[in-house]
């Protein structure tokens, strides 16, 4: 759009188009992984996309919606167990996983009417209680193995190698779709409102942002993403047990990834997921010390680098990789006091600029 | 309040001026009484709904969305409160940024702004929502004489556009030039209400507020 004064608002710059195209191509390339790597590596990489998905979801919930939950494992478990119930009803395995995501969305929507009445710590703990309620529900259901758990046999028809490849593609598609939805949501008017809520909830409300309904949308969306992660975790391990799938450790991992990567940034949680993935593969056999290390790192980040790695980088260098912002471009405005806008149409070497021009 | 009218509110610290503004804007519920806007009782309406109806506000301590750019801050007002879309929203944002002198810093993140720019941003954001009534909470504090003159011009321009102003301000000599009615509060009560000249001569006001300033 260009105004009479020659000013215009830009969403995409040449740099961001090139960067986004390269990222898109890289993601397409990742779909080829099962044809290149051994099944064991494919399975590990599936775990990485699940981590990316979970981190992005918890970040959107806490970082943009301001909803700090320690009970998102509720929806991970619902995604996994809904898949089991559906396959028992005769639905094909991967179709069951997709339908389980829909069931998670419905249950998240219903749950939101109870938990979103609460704020802060009350909401966080209520979500943990919700997770426990769902855990108890499946623990007492002998048709899904009760407390001892159950195997997912429906994917057996594809054989181990094809099964791992299909699960990889499913997880990568889910993670990519979630990030794309989040990206387009953040680029929309609703995204601007969400970022405003992130920065100052009551100031956002004073500008007309309907905070509670915005939070409901974020809650349902991110919980649905956790449901997709749960279904993928089940498909990747082919076994589910209430105590493990409804374990608070999933939320602890999400918090770690988001705190280390950068709360309230688009790119930070992806970085956090990569870091956790590397740590898992290096130190994952360390038992309790591994978890102590993760917890201690998260505490140190919260204390000394509260914006996380990516948040600190963006703050220091005023850098955002994903084009979710708005840039004003155009000729100098006719004010004597202020020096005016840059003439450049090309955009600065790195976008966004710290100022239009001084 | 009539369209384009302006009311100033003065009083010592703790008089309840900001609380009154919070009640009018829907940030706090009243302990008694009700808030009416265009003939409708809006006491139970949320802050967001009141903004959408046309009640805009600024905050005494600026509350910018620090991780968003100046333009994006204003864009929230235009799209959420003003319910504008696409190029209409952009146009509104650019015009209020120009009015408030923020165009040169439009692409800067709000966290990097100094106090003066933050105060201007408060005003710009509220204006982007297209208010009919604008509640201003000490936006003149810390301004130089030239900046205060500029602010007065802006207020006058807004009034000519039909926007009604409720303005809390400690810089009384600036305030009285902008308003046609002045209210003085003390300890949660209105102690004087009338034309600015008369209120400033009121013995109770001098005792409770003006006298204390010296």
């Amino acid at each position: 759009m260009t105004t009479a004064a020659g000013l215009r608002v830009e969403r995409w710059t040449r740099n961001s188009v090139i960067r986004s195209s390269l990222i898109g191509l890289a993601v397409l390339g990742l779909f080829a992984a099962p044809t290149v790597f051994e099944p064991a590596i494919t399975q590990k990489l599936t775990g990485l996309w699940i981590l990316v998905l979970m981190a992005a979801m918890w970040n959107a919930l806490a970082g943009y919606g301001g909803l700090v939950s320690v009970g998102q494992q509720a929806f991970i478990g619902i995604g996994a167990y809904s898949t089991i119930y559906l396959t028992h009803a005769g639905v094909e395995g991967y179709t069951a996983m997709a339908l389980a995501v829909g069931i998670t969305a419905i249950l998240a929507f219903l749950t939101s009417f109870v938990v979103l009445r609460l704020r802060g710590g009350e909401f966080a703990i209520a979500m943990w209680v919700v997770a426990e309620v769902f855990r108890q529900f499946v623990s007492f259901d002998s048709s899904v193995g009760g407390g001892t758990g159950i195997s997912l046999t429906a994917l057996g028809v594809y054989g181990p190698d094809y099964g791992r490849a299909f699960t990889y593609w499913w997880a990568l598609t889910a993670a990519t779709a979630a990030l794309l939805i989040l990206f387009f949501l953040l680029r929309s008017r609703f995204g601007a409102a969400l970022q405003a809520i992130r920065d100052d909830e009551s100031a956002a409300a004073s500008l007309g942002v309907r905070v509670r309904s915005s939070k409901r949308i974020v809650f349902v969306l991110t919980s649905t993403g956790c449901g997709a992660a749960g279904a993928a975790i089940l498909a990747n391990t082919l076994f589910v047990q209430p105590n493990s799938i409804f374990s608070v450790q999933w939320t602890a991992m999400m918090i770690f990834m988001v705190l280390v990567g950068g709360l309230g940034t688009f790119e930070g949680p992806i970085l956090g997921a990569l870091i956790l993935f590397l740590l898992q593969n290096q130190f994952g056999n360390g038992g309790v010390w591994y978890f102590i290390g993760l917890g201690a790192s998260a505490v140190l980040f919260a204390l000394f680098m509260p914006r996380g790695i990516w948040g600190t980088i963006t703050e220091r260098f005023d850098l955002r990789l994903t084009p979710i912002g708005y840039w004003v471009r155009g000729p100098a405005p006719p004010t004597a006091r202020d020096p005016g806008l840059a003439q450049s149409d090309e955009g600065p070497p790195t976008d966004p600029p710290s100022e239009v021009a001084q | 309040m009539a369209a384009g009218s302006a009311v100033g509110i003065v009083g010592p610290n703790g008089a309840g001026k900001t609380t009154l503004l919070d009640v009018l804007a829907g940030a706090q519920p009243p302990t008694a009484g009700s808030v009416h806007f265009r003939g409708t009782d809006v006491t139970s309406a949320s802050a967001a709904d009141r903004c959408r109806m046309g009640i805009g506000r600024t905050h005494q301590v600026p509350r910018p969305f620090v991780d968003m750019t100046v333009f994006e801050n204003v864009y929230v007002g235009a799209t959420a409160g003003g319910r504008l879309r696409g190029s209409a929203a952009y146009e509104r944002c650019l015009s209020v940024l120009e009015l408030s002198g923020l165009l040169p810093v439009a692409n800067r993140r709000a966290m990097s702004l100094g106090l003066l720019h933050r105060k201007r941003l408060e005003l710009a954001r509220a204006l982007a929502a297209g208010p009919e009534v604008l509640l201003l909470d000490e936006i003149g504090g810390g301004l130089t004489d030239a900046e205060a003159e500029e602010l007065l011009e802006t207020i006058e321009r807004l009034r000519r556009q039909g926007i009604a102003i409720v303005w809390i301000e400690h810089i009384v000599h600036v305030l009285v030039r902008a308003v046609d009615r002045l209210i003085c509060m003390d300890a949660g009560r209105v102690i004087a209400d009338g034309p600015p000249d008369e209120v400033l001569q009121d013995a109770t006001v001098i005792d409770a507020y003006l006298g204390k300033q010296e």
Side-chain angles (χ1 to χ4, degrees):
Chain A
M1 185 220 71
T2 307
T3 64
L7 297 170
R8 65 179 196 280
V9 178
E10 238 175 40
R11 306 299 313 276
W12 292 96
T13 63
R14 199 170 52 183
N15 284 347
S16 67
V17 169
I18 293 169
R19 214 161 38 221
S20 301
S21 306
L22 289 175
I23 292 169
L25 284 173
V27 172
L28 280 178
L30 289 170
F31 274 91
T35 63
V36 178
F37 298 117
E38 290 176 7
I41 295 176
T42 303
Q43 190 180 18
K44 277 194 172 180
L45 288 174
T46 305
L48 173 60
W49 307 134
I50 294 169
L51 289 181
V52 168
L53 175 58
M54 291 197 304
M57 294 300 96
W58 199 85
N59 176 55
L61 184 69
Y64 291 111
L67 294 164
V68 176
S69 164
V70 290
Q72 289 313 95
Q73 65 273 18
F75 302 107
I76 292 174
I78 288 169
Y81 268 98
S82 299
T83 305
I84 295 284
Y85 281 114
L86 287 164
T87 55
H88 283 190
V91 180
E92 184 276 330
Y94 291 104
T95 312
M97 288 165 66
L99 291 174
V101 176
I103 291 172
T104 313
I106 294 165
L107 287 174
F109 180 68
L110 296 175
T111 307
S112 74
F113 287 95
V114 179
V115 293
L116 290 186
R117 289 173 174 277
L118 306 169
R119 284 170 159 262
E122 291 172 347
F123 166 80
I125 299 301
M127 276 310 304
W128 199 345
V129 172
V130 167
E132 282 301 297
V133 169
F134 284 117
R135 185 180 69 84
Q136 291 292 339
F137 178 81
V138 293
S139 293
F140 289 108
D141 187 351
S142 57
S143 75
V144 290
T148 54
I150 193 166
S151 294
L152 177 67
T153 53
L155 298 184
V157 294
Y158 299 105
D161 291 354
Y162 280 114
R164 278 180 186 152
F166 288 150
T167 301
Y168 173 90
W169 286 321
W170 201 96
L172 180 56
T173 304
T176 308
L179 287 172
L180 276 176
I181 290 170
L182 205 56
F183 171 71
F184 284 109
L185 207 65
L186 288 175
R187 268 181 68 89
S188 70
R189 293 186 306 275
F190 180 66
L194 275 186
Q195 291 171 71
I197 292 173
R198 171 198 64 192
D199 286 356
D200 191 327
E201 197 173 307
S202 57
S206 77
L207 286 174
V209 175
R210 289 190 168 130
V211 175
R212 188 181 281 193
S213 59
S214 303
K215 286 186 173 192
R216 192 181 316 284
I217 293 170
V218 174
F219 179 78
V220 173
L221 186 78
T222 56
S223 301
T224 305
C226 286
I233 290 166
L234 170 65
N236 208 28
T237 55
L238 299 174
F239 181 76
V240 65
Q241 193 193 26
N243 285 351
S244 61
I245 201 76
F246 286 103
S247 164
V248 74
Q249 80 166 34
W250 297 114
T251 295
M253 285 161 66
M254 289 190 248
I255 294 174
F256 173 86
M257 293 185 282
V258 173
L259 280 184
V260 170
L263 181 71
T265 63
F266 184 84
E267 301 88 345
I270 302 170
L271 181 64
L274 269 170
I275 291 169
L276 180 62
F277 177 73
L278 294 174
L279 289 174
Q280 269 183 344
N281 284 295
Q282 282 296 322
F283 308 108
N285 296 327
V288 72
W289 286 107
Y290 165 66
F291 284 105
I292 290 173
L294 285 188
S297 312
V299 169
L300 288 174
F301 267 92
L303 286 174
F304 300 110
M305 204 188 262
R307 298 178 64 85
I309 295 172
W310 193 257
T312 305
I313 290 171
T314 57
E315 189 178 307
R316 194 155 297 174
F317 301 104
D318 206 2
L319 174 77
R320 279 192 264 190
L321 281 186
T322 40
I324 56 173
Y326 302 78
W327 314 117
V328 180
R329 304 273 192 255
T335 55
R337 191 185 58 247
D338 293 316
L341 300 182
Q343 302 280 349
S344 168
D345 283 346
E346 293 297 321
T350 58
D351 52 329
S354 58
E355 294 196 33
V356 183
Q358 282 294 348
Chain B
M1 290 183 69
S5 63
V7 177
I9 300 175
V10 293
N13 290 332
K17 306 184 295 295
T18 297
T19 304
L20 173 65
L21 230 61
D22 280 350
V23 169
L24 293 176
Q28 277 192 54
T31 49
S34 55
V35 181
H36 290 256
F37 181 64
R38 284 192 300 199
T40 310
D41 187 339
V42 297
T43 315
S44 59
S46 68
D49 285 341
R50 286 193 213 188
C51 175
R52 287 167 182 237
M53 287 172 198
I55 303 175
R57 77 165 298 176
T58 68
H59 296 90
Q60 184 181 357
V61 178
R63 301 172 70 165
F65 306 126
V66 289
D67 265 338
M68 302 174 80
T69 67
V70 168
F71 178 88
E72 289 162 3
N73 266 264
V74 174
Y75 185 73
V76 173
T79 52
R83 284 181 279 181
L84 295 176
R85 306 280 178 265
S87 56
Y90 292 162
E91 237 164 272
R92 169 79 63 83
C93 294
L94 293 173
S95 80
V96 295
L97 286 175
E98 187 172 22
L99 177 76
S100 48
L102 288 171
L103 265 181
V105 293
N107 293 337
R108 255 169 70 169
R109 283 205 210 190
M111 71 169 69
S112 69
L113 298 180
L115 181 64
L116 174 64
H117 278 148
R118 283 179 182 230
K119 291 208 168 203
R120 286 185 187 178
L121 181 55
E122 279 287 319
L123 179 62
R125 273 192 330 194
L127 287 175
E132 288 178 39
V133 176
L134 187 56
L135 313 172
L136 304 173
D137 199 350
E138 293 191 30
I139 54 163
L143 298 188
T144 63
D145 287 347
E147 288 160 354
E149 284 301 322
E150 205 179 306
L151 178 62
L152 283 171
E153 277 173 35
T154 305
I155 299 292
E156 189 49 44
R157 198 166 148 186
L158 298 176
R159 291 185 63 182
R160 281 199 299 272
Q161 289 170 14
I163 298 174
I165 308 280
V166 178
W167 187 0
I168 293 175
E169 192 55 73
H170 276 301
I171 308 173
V172 180
H173 69 275
V174 173
L175 180 66
V176 293
R177 289 174 55 200
V179 300
D180 32 39
R181 179 180 161 198
L182 191 64
I183 293 173
C184 184
M185 293 179 70
D186 187 27
R189 290 179 308 111
V190 172
I191 57 170
D193 179 357
D197 290 346
E198 285 178 25
V199 170
L200 293 178
Q201 301 298 322
D202 189 298
T204 332
V205 172
I206 292 169
D207 183 46
Y209 179 55
L210 298 175
K212 284 180 185 175
Q213 282 197 316
E214 287 165 5

